[in-house]
Amino acid sequence: MFLLTVFLSISHGETAREVYNIFSIGGFILPLGIWLFFQHRFPKTWQPNPKTGQWLKRISGASLGVYVVHEFII
C-alpha cells in the first residue's frame, strides 16, 4: 500500500489519500491478510512462554487506547 500511495502521489502531483482509506479494498485486504497470517502461523493450542505472555498483556492493555486515538493523530 505504501508503494501504491507513492506511485499515485507522484502521478497525480499531490498526496494520494484514497489508498489508505479504511473503506478501500486495501483497508479490507491488509487486516484480513494479517489475521490469516497469524491464524495459520500459530496453532490453536499455542501458549506463550511467561515472558511473552507478560509482553502480550502489556500491549493488549494499550490497544483500545491506540485504536481510539489513532484517528486524531492521522
Side-chain angles (χ1 to χ4, degrees):
M1 287 178 42
F2 176 75
L3 293 176
L4 181 60
T5 301
V6 170
F7 174 76
L8 290 175
S9 297
I10 291 171
S11 63
H12 291 147
E14 62 184 15
T15 303
R17 289 180 165 68
E18 61 268 5
V19 179
Y20 279 110
N21 187 349
I22 192 170
F23 300 111
S24 70
I25 191 71
F28 174 72
I29 291 176
L30 185 63
L32 180 64
I34 293 170
W35 180 73
L36 287 173
F37 170 78
F38 282 104
Q39 183 183 24
H40 293 289
R41 174 74 171 98
F42 298 106
K44 291 182 181 183
T45 59
W46 179 75
Q47 292 293 322
N49 63 33
K51 187 175 181 180
T52 304
Q54 289 290 60
W55 182 78
L56 288 173
K57 283 181 185 178
R58 190 175 308 149
I59 295 295
S60 67
S63 63
L64 179 62
V66 170
Y67 174 75
V68 170
V69 173
H70 86 279
E71 188 63 32
F72 298 111
I73 295 172
I74 291 174

